mmCIF file of all heavy atoms in Angstrom:
data_model
loop_
_atom_site.group_PDB
_atom_site.id
_atom_site.type_symbol
_atom_site.label_atom_id
_atom_site.label_comp_id
_atom_site.label_asym_id
_atom_site.label_seq_id
_atom_site.Cartn_x
_atom_site.Cartn_y
_atom_site.Cartn_z
ATOM 1 N N ASP A 29 -22.632 11.618 12.449
ATOM 2 C CA ASP A 29 -23.419 10.541 12.922
ATOM 3 C C ASP A 29 -24.019 9.701 11.765
ATOM 4 O O ASP A 29 -23.954 8.503 11.884
ATOM 5 C CB ASP A 29 -24.386 11.053 13.848
ATOM 6 C CG ASP A 29 -23.853 11.472 15.208
ATOM 7 O OD1 ASP A 29 -22.546 11.098 15.431
ATOM 8 O OD2 ASP A 29 -24.633 12.042 16.045
ATOM 9 N N LYS A 30 -24.428 10.363 10.751
ATOM 10 C CA LYS A 30 -25.015 9.514 9.774
ATOM 11 C C LYS A 30 -24.073 8.657 8.994
ATOM 12 O O LYS A 30 -24.298 7.592 8.592
ATOM 13 C CB LYS A 30 -25.675 10.565 8.739
ATOM 14 C CG LYS A 30 -26.270 9.868 7.412
ATOM 15 C CD LYS A 30 -26.950 10.824 6.548
ATOM 16 C CE LYS A 30 -27.593 10.265 5.384
ATOM 17 N NZ LYS A 30 -28.161 11.181 4.396
ATOM 18 N N TYR A 31 -22.865 9.157 8.905
ATOM 19 C CA TYR A 31 -21.834 8.398 8.131
ATOM 20 C C TYR A 31 -20.834 7.821 9.064
ATOM 21 O O TYR A 31 -19.575 7.518 8.866
ATOM 22 C CB TYR A 31 -21.085 9.333 7.273
ATOM 23 C CG TYR A 31 -22.012 9.978 6.159
ATOM 24 C CD1 TYR A 31 -21.806 11.408 5.954
ATOM 25 C CD2 TYR A 31 -22.958 9.330 5.519
ATOM 26 C CE1 TYR A 31 -22.650 12.071 5.096
ATOM 27 C CE2 TYR A 31 -23.750 9.927 4.612
ATOM 28 C CZ TYR A 31 -23.543 11.335 4.343
ATOM 29 O OH TYR A 31 -24.498 12.022 3.440
ATOM 30 N N ARG A 32 -21.257 7.579 10.397
ATOM 31 C CA ARG A 32 -20.335 7.117 11.437
ATOM 32 C C ARG A 32 -19.577 5.887 11.249
ATOM 33 O O ARG A 32 -18.279 5.793 11.445
ATOM 34 C CB ARG A 32 -21.111 7.042 12.746
ATOM 35 C CG ARG A 32 -20.276 6.674 14.030
ATOM 36 C CD ARG A 32 -19.362 7.689 14.425
ATOM 37 N NE ARG A 32 -19.916 9.090 14.744
ATOM 38 C CZ ARG A 32 -19.124 9.993 14.920
ATOM 39 N NH1 ARG A 32 -17.890 10.050 15.007
ATOM 40 N NH2 ARG A 32 -19.902 11.204 15.205
ATOM 41 N N ALA A 33 -20.230 4.842 10.651
ATOM 42 C CA ALA A 33 -19.547 3.586 10.520
ATOM 43 C C ALA A 33 -18.324 3.716 9.593
ATOM 44 O O ALA A 33 -17.247 3.191 9.884
ATOM 45 C CB ALA A 33 -20.577 2.636 9.939
ATOM 46 N N GLY A 34 -18.541 4.266 8.439
ATOM 47 C CA GLY A 34 -17.477 4.555 7.446
ATOM 48 C C GLY A 34 -16.394 5.387 8.126
ATOM 49 O O GLY A 34 -15.096 5.159 7.845
ATOM 50 N N TYR A 35 -16.722 6.466 8.823
ATOM 51 C CA TYR A 35 -15.757 7.422 9.328
ATOM 52 C C TYR A 35 -14.931 6.741 10.396
ATOM 53 O O TYR A 35 -13.677 6.915 10.435
ATOM 54 C CB TYR A 35 -16.434 8.617 9.909
ATOM 55 C CG TYR A 35 -15.532 9.657 10.486
ATOM 56 C CD1 TYR A 35 -14.553 10.391 9.756
ATOM 57 C CD2 TYR A 35 -15.678 9.933 11.892
ATOM 58 C CE1 TYR A 35 -13.757 11.261 10.240
ATOM 59 C CE2 TYR A 35 -14.627 10.851 12.466
ATOM 60 C CZ TYR A 35 -13.805 11.569 11.649
ATOM 61 O OH TYR A 35 -12.865 12.451 12.176
ATOM 62 N N GLU A 36 -15.477 5.958 11.217
ATOM 63 C CA GLU A 36 -14.818 5.296 12.319
ATOM 64 C C GLU A 36 -13.832 4.168 11.738
ATOM 65 O O GLU A 36 -12.817 4.089 12.272
ATOM 66 C CB GLU A 36 -15.733 4.695 13.343
ATOM 67 C CG GLU A 36 -16.612 5.645 14.152
ATOM 68 C CD GLU A 36 -15.695 6.559 15.040
ATOM 69 O OE1 GLU A 36 -14.495 6.181 15.260
ATOM 70 O OE2 GLU A 36 -16.255 7.707 15.407
ATOM 71 N N ALA A 37 -14.212 3.616 10.605
ATOM 72 C CA ALA A 37 -13.391 2.673 10.059
ATOM 73 C C ALA A 37 -12.100 3.247 9.260
ATOM 74 O O ALA A 37 -11.270 2.551 8.946
ATOM 75 C CB ALA A 37 -14.048 1.760 9.121
ATOM 76 N N GLN A 38 -12.213 4.470 8.908
ATOM 77 C CA GLN A 38 -11.285 5.203 8.106
ATOM 78 C C GLN A 38 -9.922 5.346 9.006
ATOM 79 O O GLN A 38 -9.967 5.835 10.063
ATOM 80 C CB GLN A 38 -11.770 6.674 7.720
ATOM 81 C CG GLN A 38 -10.785 7.598 7.252
ATOM 82 C CD GLN A 38 -10.203 7.232 5.787
ATOM 83 O OE1 GLN A 38 -11.001 7.018 4.911
ATOM 84 N NE2 GLN A 38 -8.888 7.225 5.639
ATOM 85 N N PRO A 39 -8.886 5.016 8.508
ATOM 86 C CA PRO A 39 -7.471 5.215 9.144
ATOM 87 C C PRO A 39 -7.338 6.642 9.273
ATOM 88 O O PRO A 39 -7.360 7.433 8.314
ATOM 89 C CB PRO A 39 -6.627 4.599 8.293
ATOM 90 C CG PRO A 39 -7.274 3.542 7.451
ATOM 91 C CD PRO A 39 -8.667 4.177 7.199
ATOM 92 N N LYS A 40 -7.018 7.152 10.541
ATOM 93 C CA LYS A 40 -6.763 8.611 10.858
ATOM 94 C C LYS A 40 -6.045 8.842 11.921
ATOM 95 O O LYS A 40 -5.858 7.807 12.816
ATOM 96 C CB LYS A 40 -8.172 9.255 10.792
ATOM 97 C CG LYS A 40 -9.100 8.762 11.884
ATOM 98 C CD LYS A 40 -10.493 9.428 11.667
ATOM 99 C CE LYS A 40 -11.571 8.653 12.585
ATOM 100 N NZ LYS A 40 -11.796 7.315 12.243
ATOM 101 N N ARG A 41 -5.545 9.978 12.153
ATOM 102 C CA ARG A 41 -4.819 10.258 13.474
ATOM 103 C C ARG A 41 -5.482 11.469 14.140
ATOM 104 O O ARG A 41 -6.076 12.337 13.468
ATOM 105 C CB ARG A 41 -3.364 10.588 13.103
ATOM 106 C CG ARG A 41 -3.048 11.695 12.075
ATOM 107 C CD ARG A 41 -1.548 11.669 11.712
ATOM 108 N NE ARG A 41 -1.342 12.452 10.502
ATOM 109 C CZ ARG A 41 -1.139 13.744 10.358
ATOM 110 N NH1 ARG A 41 -1.043 14.428 11.512
ATOM 111 N NH2 ARG A 41 -0.929 14.296 9.161
ATOM 112 N N ARG A 42 -5.408 11.470 15.397
ATOM 113 C CA ARG A 42 -6.196 12.398 16.214
ATOM 114 C C ARG A 42 -5.379 13.803 16.119
ATOM 115 O O ARG A 42 -4.146 13.767 16.049
ATOM 116 C CB ARG A 42 -6.375 12.024 17.617
ATOM 117 C CG ARG A 42 -6.973 10.718 17.893
ATOM 118 C CD ARG A 42 -8.276 10.480 17.164
ATOM 119 N NE ARG A 42 -9.237 11.552 17.459
ATOM 120 C CZ ARG A 42 -10.465 11.618 16.907
ATOM 121 N NH1 ARG A 42 -10.789 10.852 15.989
ATOM 122 N NH2 ARG A 42 -11.254 12.743 17.322
ATOM 123 N N SER A 43 -6.103 14.895 16.204
ATOM 124 C CA SER A 43 -5.605 16.172 16.283
ATOM 125 C C SER A 43 -6.516 17.001 17.130
ATOM 126 O O SER A 43 -7.718 16.600 17.451
ATOM 127 C CB SER A 43 -5.504 16.876 14.903
ATOM 128 O OG SER A 43 -5.045 18.183 14.964
ATOM 129 N N GLU A 44 -6.119 18.125 17.612
ATOM 130 C CA GLU A 44 -6.857 19.025 18.398
ATOM 131 C C GLU A 44 -8.072 19.407 17.538
ATOM 132 O O GLU A 44 -7.945 19.754 16.345
ATOM 133 C CB GLU A 44 -6.121 20.345 18.630
ATOM 134 C CG GLU A 44 -6.787 21.323 19.609
ATOM 135 C CD GLU A 44 -6.720 20.931 21.057
ATOM 136 O OE1 GLU A 44 -5.907 20.084 21.438
ATOM 137 O OE2 GLU A 44 -7.597 21.350 21.865
ATOM 138 N N GLN A 45 -9.322 19.199 18.180
ATOM 139 C CA GLN A 45 -10.561 19.530 17.505
ATOM 140 C C GLN A 45 -11.154 18.450 16.621
ATOM 141 O O GLN A 45 -12.321 18.493 16.262
ATOM 142 C CB GLN A 45 -10.603 20.928 16.619
ATOM 143 C CG GLN A 45 -10.137 22.097 17.440
ATOM 144 C CD GLN A 45 -11.059 22.564 18.534
ATOM 145 O OE1 GLN A 45 -12.179 22.026 18.563
ATOM 146 N NE2 GLN A 45 -10.686 23.407 19.444
ATOM 147 N N GLY A 46 -10.380 17.432 16.278
ATOM 148 C CA GLY A 46 -10.823 16.481 15.345
ATOM 149 C C GLY A 46 -9.786 15.364 14.970
ATOM 150 O O GLY A 46 -9.046 14.821 15.870
ATOM 151 N N ALA A 47 -9.651 15.190 13.639
ATOM 152 C CA ALA A 47 -8.702 14.146 13.090
ATOM 153 C C ALA A 47 -8.178 14.638 11.868
ATOM 154 O O ALA A 47 -8.738 15.448 11.090
ATOM 155 C CB ALA A 47 -9.542 12.856 13.052
ATOM 156 N N ILE A 48 -7.104 13.897 11.504
ATOM 157 C CA ILE A 48 -6.435 14.082 10.186
ATOM 158 C C ILE A 48 -6.500 12.817 9.302
ATOM 159 O O ILE A 48 -6.105 11.711 9.925
ATOM 160 C CB ILE A 48 -4.915 14.476 10.295
ATOM 161 C CG1 ILE A 48 -4.757 15.709 11.172
ATOM 162 C CG2 ILE A 48 -4.175 14.737 8.882
ATOM 163 C CD1 ILE A 48 -5.449 16.941 10.800
ATOM 164 N N ILE A 49 -6.973 12.879 8.210
ATOM 165 C CA ILE A 49 -6.938 11.686 7.272
ATOM 166 C C ILE A 49 -5.959 11.897 6.190
ATOM 167 O O ILE A 49 -5.929 12.779 5.345
ATOM 168 C CB ILE A 49 -8.403 11.546 6.633
ATOM 169 C CG1 ILE A 49 -9.444 11.311 7.688
ATOM 170 C CG2 ILE A 49 -8.322 10.444 5.566
ATOM 171 C CD1 ILE A 49 -10.901 11.226 7.126
ATOM 172 N N ASP A 50 -4.807 11.018 6.390
ATOM 173 C CA ASP A 50 -3.723 11.132 5.454
ATOM 174 C C ASP A 50 -4.026 10.708 4.051
ATOM 175 O O ASP A 50 -3.516 11.255 3.041
ATOM 176 C CB ASP A 50 -2.516 10.481 5.917
ATOM 177 C CG ASP A 50 -1.953 11.074 7.284
ATOM 178 O OD1 ASP A 50 -1.570 12.278 7.117
ATOM 179 O OD2 ASP A 50 -1.895 10.494 8.337
ATOM 180 N N GLN A 51 -4.815 9.642 3.913
ATOM 181 C CA GLN A 51 -5.071 9.204 2.572
ATOM 182 C C GLN A 51 -6.588 8.548 2.743
ATOM 183 O O GLN A 51 -6.814 7.661 3.539
ATOM 184 C CB GLN A 51 -4.203 8.090 2.136
ATOM 185 C CG GLN A 51 -4.381 7.594 0.704
ATOM 186 C CD GLN A 51 -3.256 6.706 0.362
ATOM 187 O OE1 GLN A 51 -2.827 5.809 1.066
ATOM 188 N NE2 GLN A 51 -2.835 6.837 -0.870
ATOM 189 N N LEU A 52 -7.545 8.999 1.853
ATOM 190 C CA LEU A 52 -8.822 8.460 1.823
ATOM 191 C C LEU A 52 -8.793 7.001 1.588
ATOM 192 O O LEU A 52 -8.192 6.470 0.741
ATOM 193 C CB LEU A 52 -9.742 9.097 0.838
ATOM 194 C CG LEU A 52 -10.279 10.532 1.229
ATOM 195 C CD1 LEU A 52 -10.969 11.174 -0.052
ATOM 196 C CD2 LEU A 52 -11.335 10.324 2.360
ATOM 197 N N ASP A 53 -9.610 6.243 2.403
ATOM 198 C CA ASP A 53 -9.739 4.817 2.254
ATOM 199 C C ASP A 53 -11.045 4.509 1.573
ATOM 200 O O ASP A 53 -12.070 5.179 1.764
ATOM 201 C CB ASP A 53 -9.720 4.180 3.675
ATOM 202 C CG ASP A 53 -9.795 2.667 3.600
ATOM 203 O OD1 ASP A 53 -8.696 2.044 3.494
ATOM 204 O OD2 ASP A 53 -10.971 2.116 3.732
ATOM 205 N N GLN A 54 -11.082 3.450 0.811
ATOM 206 C CA GLN A 54 -12.239 3.083 -0.034
ATOM 207 C C GLN A 54 -13.501 2.850 0.944
ATOM 208 O O GLN A 54 -14.721 3.025 0.536
ATOM 209 C CB GLN A 54 -12.086 1.952 -0.887
ATOM 210 C CG GLN A 54 -13.160 1.650 -1.967
ATOM 211 C CD GLN A 54 -12.895 0.535 -2.836
ATOM 212 O OE1 GLN A 54 -11.646 0.057 -2.887
ATOM 213 N NE2 GLN A 54 -13.744 0.144 -3.764
ATOM 214 N N GLY A 55 -13.174 2.241 2.175
ATOM 215 C CA GLY A 55 -14.249 2.053 3.095
ATOM 216 C C GLY A 55 -15.052 3.201 3.574
ATOM 217 O O GLY A 55 -16.246 3.083 4.011
ATOM 218 N N PHE A 56 -14.424 4.433 3.409
ATOM 219 C CA PHE A 56 -15.256 5.656 3.849
ATOM 220 C C PHE A 56 -15.781 6.262 2.679
ATOM 221 O O PHE A 56 -15.493 7.399 2.291
ATOM 222 C CB PHE A 56 -14.063 6.571 4.512
ATOM 223 C CG PHE A 56 -14.766 7.909 5.205
ATOM 224 C CD1 PHE A 56 -16.175 7.725 5.545
ATOM 225 C CD2 PHE A 56 -13.855 8.971 5.382
ATOM 226 C CE1 PHE A 56 -16.711 8.885 6.169
ATOM 227 C CE2 PHE A 56 -14.643 10.093 5.976
ATOM 228 C CZ PHE A 56 -15.868 10.128 6.349
ATOM 229 N N ALA A 57 -16.624 5.453 1.970
ATOM 230 C CA ALA A 57 -17.310 5.896 0.744
ATOM 231 C C ALA A 57 -18.139 7.217 0.975
ATOM 232 O O ALA A 57 -18.284 7.985 0.164
ATOM 233 C CB ALA A 57 -18.190 4.782 0.259
ATOM 234 N N ASP A 58 -18.605 7.326 2.263
ATOM 235 C CA ASP A 58 -19.454 8.483 2.579
ATOM 236 C C ASP A 58 -18.728 9.786 2.618
ATOM 237 O O ASP A 58 -19.345 10.808 2.596
ATOM 238 C CB ASP A 58 -20.260 8.331 3.830
ATOM 239 C CG ASP A 58 -21.319 7.101 3.750
ATOM 240 O OD1 ASP A 58 -21.816 7.036 2.606
ATOM 241 O OD2 ASP A 58 -21.493 6.359 4.616
ATOM 242 N N ALA A 59 -17.450 9.719 2.655
ATOM 243 C CA ALA A 59 -16.694 10.948 2.639
ATOM 244 C C ALA A 59 -16.972 11.901 1.321
ATOM 245 O O ALA A 59 -16.922 13.068 1.316
ATOM 246 C CB ALA A 59 -15.232 10.681 2.581
ATOM 247 N N TYR A 60 -17.416 11.120 0.284
ATOM 248 C CA TYR A 60 -17.573 11.930 -0.844
ATOM 249 C C TYR A 60 -19.051 12.526 -0.888
ATOM 250 O O TYR A 60 -19.231 13.418 -1.716
ATOM 251 C CB TYR A 60 -17.619 10.821 -2.168
ATOM 252 C CG TYR A 60 -16.298 10.097 -1.997
ATOM 253 C CD1 TYR A 60 -16.176 8.824 -1.378
ATOM 254 C CD2 TYR A 60 -15.127 10.649 -2.556
ATOM 255 C CE1 TYR A 60 -15.028 8.133 -1.327
ATOM 256 C CE2 TYR A 60 -13.911 9.934 -2.438
ATOM 257 C CZ TYR A 60 -13.950 8.723 -1.810
ATOM 258 O OH TYR A 60 -12.736 7.987 -1.804
ATOM 259 N N TYR A 61 -19.884 12.185 0.045
ATOM 260 C CA TYR A 61 -21.074 13.040 0.308
ATOM 261 C C TYR A 61 -20.910 13.955 1.476
ATOM 262 O O TYR A 61 -21.726 14.963 1.502
ATOM 263 C CB TYR A 61 -22.285 11.992 0.600
ATOM 264 C CG TYR A 61 -22.464 10.894 -0.422
ATOM 265 C CD1 TYR A 61 -22.082 9.711 -0.173
ATOM 266 C CD2 TYR A 61 -22.976 11.272 -1.592
ATOM 267 C CE1 TYR A 61 -22.212 8.652 -1.210
ATOM 268 C CE2 TYR A 61 -23.247 10.324 -2.618
ATOM 269 C CZ TYR A 61 -22.894 8.977 -2.313
ATOM 270 O OH TYR A 61 -23.028 7.917 -3.279
ATOM 271 N N PHE A 62 -19.969 13.785 2.262
ATOM 272 C CA PHE A 62 -19.704 14.499 3.466
ATOM 273 C C PHE A 62 -19.113 15.988 3.049
ATOM 274 O O PHE A 62 -19.393 16.930 3.797
ATOM 275 C CB PHE A 62 -18.810 13.813 4.429
ATOM 276 C CG PHE A 62 -18.491 14.544 5.622
ATOM 277 C CD1 PHE A 62 -19.389 14.855 6.705
ATOM 278 C CD2 PHE A 62 -17.226 15.203 5.844
ATOM 279 C CE1 PHE A 62 -19.122 15.585 7.816
ATOM 280 C CE2 PHE A 62 -16.913 15.875 6.883
ATOM 281 C CZ PHE A 62 -17.905 16.081 7.943
ATOM 282 N N LEU A 63 -18.365 15.910 2.101
ATOM 283 C CA LEU A 63 -17.588 17.133 1.626
ATOM 284 C C LEU A 63 -18.537 18.047 0.929
ATOM 285 O O LEU A 63 -18.777 17.814 -0.206
ATOM 286 C CB LEU A 63 -16.404 16.909 0.994
ATOM 287 C CG LEU A 63 -15.309 16.132 1.686
ATOM 288 C CD1 LEU A 63 -14.032 15.833 0.866
ATOM 289 C CD2 LEU A 63 -14.847 16.800 2.964
ATOM 290 N N LEU A 64 -19.095 19.142 1.532
ATOM 291 C CA LEU A 64 -19.849 20.136 0.756
ATOM 292 C C LEU A 64 -19.015 21.299 0.593
ATOM 293 O O LEU A 64 -17.965 21.436 1.232
ATOM 294 C CB LEU A 64 -21.121 20.554 1.670
ATOM 295 C CG LEU A 64 -21.996 19.394 2.306
ATOM 296 C CD1 LEU A 64 -22.977 20.086 3.276
ATOM 297 C CD2 LEU A 64 -22.619 18.656 1.310
ATOM 298 N N ALA A 65 -19.477 22.278 -0.230
ATOM 299 C CA ALA A 65 -18.670 23.533 -0.342
ATOM 300 C C ALA A 65 -18.787 24.232 0.987
ATOM 301 O O ALA A 65 -17.761 24.727 1.401
ATOM 302 C CB ALA A 65 -19.344 24.365 -1.427
ATOM 303 N N SER A 66 -19.945 24.189 1.644
ATOM 304 C CA SER A 66 -20.079 25.172 2.783
ATOM 305 C C SER A 66 -19.379 24.666 4.038
ATOM 306 O O SER A 66 -19.153 25.461 4.975
ATOM 307 C CB SER A 66 -21.618 25.384 3.138
ATOM 308 O OG SER A 66 -22.344 26.035 2.156
ATOM 309 N N ASN A 67 -18.867 23.495 4.092
ATOM 310 C CA ASN A 67 -18.156 22.980 5.272
ATOM 311 C C ASN A 67 -16.705 22.791 5.034
ATOM 312 O O ASN A 67 -16.083 22.193 5.890
ATOM 313 C CB ASN A 67 -18.857 21.687 5.802
ATOM 314 C CG ASN A 67 -18.432 20.474 5.091
ATOM 315 O OD1 ASN A 67 -18.321 20.473 3.952
ATOM 316 N ND2 ASN A 67 -18.424 19.363 5.792
ATOM 317 N N VAL A 68 -16.181 23.295 3.897
ATOM 318 C CA VAL A 68 -14.891 23.091 3.440
ATOM 319 C C VAL A 68 -14.000 24.341 3.534
ATOM 320 O O VAL A 68 -14.568 25.377 2.995
ATOM 321 C CB VAL A 68 -14.764 22.351 1.990
ATOM 322 C CG1 VAL A 68 -13.420 22.581 1.510
ATOM 323 C CG2 VAL A 68 -15.147 20.981 2.183
ATOM 324 N N MET A 69 -12.928 24.308 4.009
ATOM 325 C CA MET A 69 -11.931 25.363 3.947
ATOM 326 C C MET A 69 -10.671 24.786 3.296
ATOM 327 O O MET A 69 -10.187 23.767 3.727
ATOM 328 C CB MET A 69 -11.580 26.043 5.221
ATOM 329 C CG MET A 69 -10.714 27.251 5.261
ATOM 330 S SD MET A 69 -10.259 27.750 6.900
ATOM 331 C CE MET A 69 -8.984 26.599 7.364
ATOM 332 N N VAL A 70 -10.224 25.386 2.073
ATOM 333 C CA VAL A 70 -9.132 24.692 1.317
ATOM 334 C C VAL A 70 -8.056 25.711 0.986
ATOM 335 O O VAL A 70 -8.314 26.933 0.767
ATOM 336 C CB VAL A 70 -9.762 24.108 0.101
ATOM 337 C CG1 VAL A 70 -10.433 25.190 -0.872
ATOM 338 C CG2 VAL A 70 -8.869 23.364 -0.663
ATOM 339 N N ARG A 71 -6.839 25.214 0.726
ATOM 340 C CA ARG A 71 -5.688 26.009 0.427
ATOM 341 C C ARG A 71 -5.862 26.619 -1.037
ATOM 342 O O ARG A 71 -6.146 25.796 -1.936
ATOM 343 C CB ARG A 71 -4.368 25.197 0.499
ATOM 344 C CG ARG A 71 -3.875 25.127 1.872
ATOM 345 C CD ARG A 71 -2.629 24.244 2.092
ATOM 346 N NE ARG A 71 -1.726 24.370 1.034
ATOM 347 C CZ ARG A 71 -0.696 23.516 0.887
ATOM 348 N NH1 ARG A 71 -0.517 22.415 1.661
ATOM 349 N NH2 ARG A 71 0.149 23.742 -0.143
#
C-alpha cells in the first residue's frame, strides 16, 4: 500500500496469489526498498 503507485504502474502479469514481474521497470523505484531478506524466497 505504501508503494502502491509504483507497483500498479509496473508492467506485470497476474498469477494465483499475486503477480509476476518479468522485468523491473524504472518507474517501480520502490521495489528496491520493498525487497527485504525476510520477505524473499529465492532459488
Side-chain angles (χ1 to χ4, degrees):
D29 281 350
K30 179 179 179 179
Y31 304 134
R32 180 64 59 185
Y35 180 65
E36 293 298 338
Q38 167 72 50
K40 53 188 173 295
R41 52 191 166 92
R42 305 309 304 174
S43 178
E44 187 76 21
Q45 304 294 348
I48 306 298
I49 294 175
D50 290 302
Q51 186 176 42
L52 278 173
D53 183 86
Q54 189 174 358
F56 189 21
D58 293 324
Y60 308 93
Y61 305 106
F62 177 74
L63 297 178
L64 311 173
S66 293
N67 78 329
V68 162
M69 187 180 78
V70 61
R71 278 171 46 187

